[in-house]
Amino acid sequence: MGDTSLGITDALVSVLRDARSVAVLTGSGISAESGVPTFRDAQTGLWSRYEPQELATPEAFERDPALVWEWYEWRRRLVREARPNPGHLALARLERRVPSFTLATQNVDGLHRRAGSENVLELHGNIVRSKCSVEGFEAEPRAGDESVPPLCPNCGAFLRPDVVWFGEALPEDAFVSASAAARTCEVFLSVGTSSLVYPAAALPSEAARSGAVLVEINPDDTPLTPHVDYALRGRAGEVLPALVRALDVS
Ligand code: OAD
């Protein structure tokens, strides 16, 4: 039996249990319970305290590379201290049940892989990695480099975090694979995202156009909510484990 108090009905459990292909899009909300701040939540979101144009654009990095590097270093520390929560772990368990499973994430924190998820597409990069700001290749600072930002060991330009900034393109391979998964899945889960940032926010509509059942897991309404088949109101760390548990017992 599904947990109807969370909106997990028997119909939803049955659709998910029978699905041969599932695609998932996650956003910062799934990592909130691991202590990693979201972006747009009114009190706690990063963009309520910081200005994205001053920290998360190529122009900001050109203007003040040290400020941008230090801000990302602070976020890296938060991510290193964080642990995957029951929401991340439930998605890793779901992957093991479903023959074709794709997890596209807008998160740069690496927590899905640390929870055991395998087919993960990082649409906005990964904060733990760095890359050369000129050559674009992944690179790590040389030991003992005290420059801020550190310098590319190959060409001497500044290193930058390997994340997607506003105005930049998403990694093409990851986005093409995520779109393909959205167009071919039977069930699409949108978890912990405000559904405001494109092109990731277009993935659920692609899935719906191809006939997928759309499920949203979020404590609040988003622009996607009117279009979903099931809106599960609650925290990902509570709803996802209950959903996966319901598959086991039914
Ligand atoms: P947002 O901060 O825009 O949205 C977070 C969503 O998570 C909101 O809809 C919350 O209601 C929801 N939420 C909060 N706590 C939750 C919980 N415990 N369980 C489930 N949901 C919860 O974050 P994103 O949608 O990830 O991009 O933002 C998308 C992109 O905008 C980010 O990748 C980042 C940001 O600017 C770049 O930096 C390029």
Side-chain angles (χ1 to χ4, degrees), residues 63-215:
R63 226 174 14 245
D64 197 340
L67 175 81
V68 171
W69 180 265
E70 291 290 9
W71 189 68
Y72 278 90
E73 275 294 296
W74 166 68
R75 287 181 55 203
R76 277 178 174 165
R77 281 196 292 278
L78 289 182
V79 162
R80 284 205 190 93
E81 284 160 17
R83 296 281 168 272
N85 68 55
H88 298 109
L89 295 167
L91 286 179
R93 280 208 306 284
L94 184 60
E95 178 170 16
R96 293 195 277 277
R97 297 184 61 107
V98 180
S100 170
F101 185 93
T102 304
L103 172 48
T105 186
Q106 299 165 89
N107 300 345
V108 296
D109 56 32
L111 288 174
H112 285 303
R113 275 194 230 276
R114 284 171 57 193
S117 286
E118 284 177 11
N119 191 18
V120 181
L121 302 170
E122 292 178 322
L123 301 178
H124 291 171
N126 189 308
I127 198 170
V128 174
R129 290 191 308 255
S130 302
K131 65 179 181 182
C132 174
S133 60
V134 170
E135 300 168 311
F137 303 119
E138 193 181 331
E140 293 307 323
R142 234 191 270 280
D145 181 351
E146 288 186 0
S147 139
V148 180
L151 307 177
C152 171
N154 191 42
C155 74
F158 286 138
L159 293 180
R160 55 163 281 184
D162 191 1
V163 299
V164 175
W165 282 329
F166 289 103
E168 293 186 320
L170 272 55
E172 196 183 339
D173 288 0
F175 193 69
V176 166
S177 301
S179 288
R183 277 183 271 108
T184 53
C185 69
E186 292 166 37
V187 178
F188 188 101
L189 308 180
S190 173
V191 184
T193 174
S194 58
S195 296
L196 289 171
V197 176
Y198 284 79
L203 292 170
S205 329
E206 284 192 44
R209 270 199 300 280
S210 307
V213 172
L214 278 193
V215 183

Side-chain angles (χ1 to χ4, degrees), residues 37-39 42-51 55 74 78:
T38 62
F39 293 93
Q43 302 300 320
T44 53
L46 291 173
W47 298 154
S48 71
R49 286 183 285 157
Y50 302 98
E51 188 54 59
L55 294 164
W74 166 68
L78 289 182

Side-chain angles (χ1 to χ4, degrees), residues 195-249:
S195 296
L196 289 171
V197 176
Y198 284 79
L203 292 170
S205 329
E206 284 192 44
R209 270 199 300 280
S210 307
V213 172
L214 278 193
V215 183
E216 180 177 61
I217 297 172
N218 198 309
D220 293 323
D221 274 4
T222 75
L224 181 66
T225 312
H227 309 287
V228 303
D229 299 287
Y230 298 93
L232 308 186
R233 287 275 151 269
R235 288 176 293 151
E238 183 184 7
V239 176
L240 280 168
L243 187 57
V244 175
R245 240 184 350 258
L247 299 178
D248 288 334
V249 297

